[in-house]
């Protein structure tokens, strides 16, 4: 009997990445690297549609699964913030570091909440210049590899994701989806927050549902100031196929085809609360297919099947400057790249190849 028939999927290991739509590209790079202290680990382009849009990946020093925020700088259009969206992404930071982060956010001149608490954990919520909300949450014993900058040392830096916060008008259906289709379990309620987690001992396993019954729905498409989707790690192509079967077994017939995103493979489904949920499998080489550990994020890479249109694509993108803080130094280069996943199974993945002709 398949696990899902007992409502116990065990395919999902935790968060893989979260994808946001900021506005201007340079403003986004400056915020994620300078304010949040992330490493820019990849510059590429959005692989849907025919208008070139950057796709930036930010992560910890080792560019680990579960630490990656990706952004589509989408200044062409504003999104509408509301329920049915990821409302915040949370980074784990060491216990006792929120005083640093509060002062750091003040010095950077960004809006933040001051110290708050939910489920007994202290956190600060901070606003990206495009309006997106991020959090730093104190969490003990997180040994993932922090990226460091001149202003953010290893003893305070973010480790990777702790959680994602989803705003929903109704908790019940979203909770049922997360537990039955994806293997989360409910672990508590604190005011309007309902916490679910993937069982296990790894990091980045938490989703908090924020119950906002009176909040109007947010936009689902690309639009500055909104989170587009969150992605969960199922690790292998075989698991991705099994996840698609689970969705279909439960009646989620609108699960997408399996897509080749070059750095990983993807499957999308619109969840009952409105949030677009992706599952991903890792591919051999991952982020290291087109650049070395030291070079990660330092120049624009296109998927190979876009290369013949590089000139047209680059001409339509705004120039950006990657800060020196994006280059590895000190202890960071001692980090070993993650092991490759098993060889590909004989699965057909779809690729988009539009013609880029202009805005
Ligand atoms: Fe994604």
């Amino acid at each position: 009997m398949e696990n899902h028939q007992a409502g116990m999927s065990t395919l999902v290991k935790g968060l893989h990445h979260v994808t946001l739509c900021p506005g201007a590209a340079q403003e986004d790079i400056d915020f994620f690297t300078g304010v949040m202290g992330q490493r820019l680990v990849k510059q590429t382009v959005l692989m849907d549609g025919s208008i070139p849009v950057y796709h930036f990946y930010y992560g910890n020093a080792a560019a680990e699964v579960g630490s990656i925020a990706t952004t589509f700088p989408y200044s062409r259009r504003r999104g509408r913030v509301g329920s049915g969206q990821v409302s915040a992404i949370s980074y784990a930071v060491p216990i006792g570091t929120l005083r640093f982060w509060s002062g750091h956010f003040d010095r950077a001149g960004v809006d933040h909440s001051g110290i708050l608490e939910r489920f007994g954990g202290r956190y600060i919520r901070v606003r990206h210049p495009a309006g997106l909300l991020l959090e730093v949450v104190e969490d003990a014993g997180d040994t993932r590899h922090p990226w460091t900058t001149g202003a953010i040392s290893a003893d305070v830096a973010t480790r990777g994701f702790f959680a994602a916060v989803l705003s929903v008008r109704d908790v019940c259906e979203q909770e049922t989806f997360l537990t039955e289709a994806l293997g989360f379990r409910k672990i508590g309620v604190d005011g309007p927050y309902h916490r679910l987690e993937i069982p296990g001992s790894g990091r980045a396993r938490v989703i908090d549902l924020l119950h906002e019954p009176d909040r109007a729905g947010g936009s689902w498409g690309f639009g500055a100031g909104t989170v587009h989707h969150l992605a969960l790690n199922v690790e292998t192509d075989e698991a991705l196929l099994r996840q698609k079967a689970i969705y279909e077994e439960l009646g989620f017939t609108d699960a997408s085809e399996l897509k080749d995103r070059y750095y990983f493979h993807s499957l999308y489904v619109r969840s009952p609360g409105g949030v677009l949920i992706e599952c991903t499998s890792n591919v051999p080489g991952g982020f290291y297919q087109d650049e070395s550990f030291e070079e990660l994020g330092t120049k624009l890479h296109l998927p190979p099947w876009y290369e013949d249109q590089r000139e047209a694509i680059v001409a339509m993108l705004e120039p950006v400057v990657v800060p020196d803080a994006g280059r590895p130094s000190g202890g960071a280069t001692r980090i070993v790249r993650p092991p490759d996943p098993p060889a590909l199974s004989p699965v057909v993945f779809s690729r988009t190849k539009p013609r880029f002709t202009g805005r």
Side-chain angles (χ1 to χ4, degrees):
M1 178 184 277
E2 290 285 339
N3 282 334
H4 67 270
Q5 288 176 300
M8 293 175 59
S9 172
T10 54
L11 301 175
V12 174
K13 307 305 178 195
L15 295 171
H16 186 279
H17 65 269
V18 182
T19 295
L20 313 89
C21 292
Q26 188 66 54
E27 177 183 83
D28 185 59
I29 289 177
D30 293 344
F31 177 80
F32 269 98
T33 60
V35 178
M36 300 307 295
Q38 303 304 292
R39 180 179 188 186
L40 177 60
V41 297
K42 191 65 67 181
Q43 297 182 50
T44 182
V45 291
L46 170 62
M47 282 194 227
D48 289 324
S50 57
I51 299 166
V53 174
Y54 277 119
H55 195 184
F56 298 136
Y57 291 68
Y58 306 95
N60 67 11
E64 282 176 278
V65 164
S67 77
I68 305 289
T70 93
T71 66
F72 303 136
Y74 212 82
S75 45
R76 312 174 63 240
R77 173 173 160 173
R78 288 286 309 170
R80 187 174 60 254
V81 177
S83 59
Q85 287 178 339
V86 175
S87 59
I89 59 171
S90 307
Y91 287 97
V93 295
I95 300 285
T97 61
L98 290 190
R99 253 177 87 119
F100 163 81
W101 282 102
S102 178
H104 174 71
F105 293 146
D106 286 340
R107 287 187 292 278
V110 293
D111 290 343
H112 69 89
S113 63
I115 297 173
L116 302 172
E117 190 171 320
R118 69 175 184 268
F119 296 103
R122 300 186 337 142
Y123 69 100
I124 297 174
R125 189 167 278 188
V126 58
R127 190 178 296 274
H128 182 291
L132 299 154
L133 298 176
L134 296 89
E135 298 174 340
V136 286
V137 181
E138 286 186 343
D139 191 29
D142 191 331
T143 57
R144 288 177 291 176
H145 305 289
W147 185 248
T148 60
T149 71
I152 303 170
S153 55
D155 57 334
V156 298
T158 66
R159 268 48 185 163
F161 291 141
F162 174 76
V165 183
L166 279 54
S167 171
V168 289
R169 290 168 68 98
D170 172 55
V171 169
C172 180
E173 280 302 308
Q174 188 69 17
E175 185 179 309
T176 300
F177 176 80
L178 291 173
T179 53
E180 287 190 355
L182 294 166
F184 282 80
R185 68 179 176 199
K186 179 89 170 265
I187 59 169
V189 179
D190 183 359
Y193 290 98
H194 294 243
R195 176 156 290 181
L196 294 97
E197 71 171 18
I198 290 293
S201 57
R203 299 287 168 170
R205 291 180 295 110
V206 172
I207 284 182
D208 283 342
L209 299 181
L210 172 57
H211 188 208
E212 298 187 293
D214 300 321
R215 193 174 191 194
S219 53
W220 284 0
F222 299 130
T226 61
V227 179
H228 186 252
H229 64 266
L230 73 84
L232 302 167
N233 175 30
V234 302
E235 292 189 334
T236 66
D237 290 339
E238 187 204 355
L240 204 59
L241 275 173
R242 288 175 61 203
Q243 186 61 48
K244 187 168 167 70
I246 290 172
Y247 286 147
E248 289 167 352
E249 180 79 27
L250 294 170
F252 294 92
T253 317
D254 58 339
S256 77
E257 61 197 348
L258 303 180
K259 295 175 186 284
D260 183 356
R261 299 311 202 182
Y262 190 56
Y263 303 109
F264 44 82
H265 295 148
S266 299
L267 163 71
Y268 301 84
V269 72
R270 184 68 64 179
S271 65
V275 176
L276 183 62
I277 305 247
E278 175 185 0
C279 285
T280 61
S281 59
N282 301 312
V283 304
F287 293 129
Y288 304 94
Q289 291 176 86
D290 51 13
E291 54 191 344
S292 69
F293 179 88
E294 290 75 18
E295 293 169 325
L296 283 182
T298 54
K299 56 179 182 288
L300 180 68
H301 286 270
L302 303 177
W305 59 97
Y306 278 35
E307 275 295 347
D308 60 348
Q309 297 186 79
R310 174 177 278 270
E311 207 175 315
I313 291 169
V314 170
M316 286 183 270
L317 292 170
E318 61 202 280
V320 292
V321 177
V322 180
D324 287 342
R327 294 216 173 251
S329 61
T333 51
R334 289 198 299 274
I335 295 163
V336 177
R337 62 176 251 194
D340 282 346
L344 291 179
S345 52
V347 179
V348 176
F349 293 91
S350 74
R351 291 177 171 178
T352 57
K353 188 175 181 187
R355 267 198 71 73
F356 295 99
T357 54
R359 287 169 193 265

